[in-house]
Amino acid sequence: YNKKQGQVTVPRVQGLSVDAATKRLNGVGLHNLTQKTVASSLPQGQVQGTNPPAGTSVNPDTPIVLLVSGGGVAVPGIVGDDKNQAVTTLNGAGLVANFVPLAPPPGTGVTTPGLVWKTTPSEGKLVLPGTPVKVHVVPGAVPPPPGPASSSRSPPRLPSGR
């Protein structure tokens, strides 16, 4: 690789604590450090990597961003669920539901009003805990739940206190 006079190579710090990564970077002459929290399968607080990445030749005053794991939650599969089930599932995973009524394109397979047909980010994507997930639901009147028809019954009469 072409390393110019006075440049240093960004060392590999993945999997280290922020303190250990900072010491390693300082040890090669890199001191202009900032941190950014990212979704990662690494335990919270461990360094996922750097930007610019390890192996890059840089000037010693180059800003280096430590990409620090904030933990990671995989977006659960909720396509086909109703809104209540979607909220329960997302909240259980530590995520926030953000509903978007949007007609699905043809061929999605989900056409019943009130059902989830897509999420953004998509199922399986690793995100930070607390991330809002756009939940695309089929618009329209939600069909009543199955069961005895309650609209034809009159409310029970209470005895008058006279």
Side-chain angles (χ1 to χ4, degrees):
Y1 55 92
N2 293 336
K3 190 159 133 179
K4 294 182 184 165
Q5 188 70 30
Q7 287 194 321
V8 296
T9 301
V10 177
R12 179 178 158 84
V13 294
Q14 182 178 10
L16 298 178
S17 68
V18 172
D19 285 346
T22 299
K23 285 178 183 154
R24 183 171 290 176
L25 291 162
N26 289 168
V28 299
L30 296 169
H31 298 278
N32 188 358
L33 309 178
T34 57
Q35 294 180 31
K36 178 181 178 185
T37 304
V38 296
S40 171
S41 58
L42 288 176
Q44 195 167 351
Q46 283 191 1
V47 175
Q48 171 71 34
T50 56
N51 188 9
T56 306
S57 293
V58 297
N59 291 320
D61 62 350
T62 300
I64 305 292
V65 180
L66 283 174
L67 305 173
V68 181
S69 174
V73 176
V75 175
I78 57 172
V79 169
D81 289 356
D82 65 30
K83 286 173 103 172
N84 291 339
Q85 182 58 45
V87 167
T88 300
T89 302
L90 288 173
N91 288 350
L95 302 172
V96 179
N98 194 351
F99 289 101
V100 181
L102 185 66
T108 57
V110 178
T111 56
T112 305
L115 294 188
V116 176
W117 65 271
K118 177 183 171 184
T119 61
T120 307
S122 58
E123 177 181 346
K125 173 97 170 114
L126 207 59
V127 296
L128 287 170
T131 296
V133 175
K134 277 189 186 170
V135 180
H136 301 277
V137 294
V138 180
V142 177
S150 58
S151 60
S152 61
R153 293 194 313 190
S154 52
R157 294 187 178 258
L158 298 173
S160 63
R162 284 185 235 175

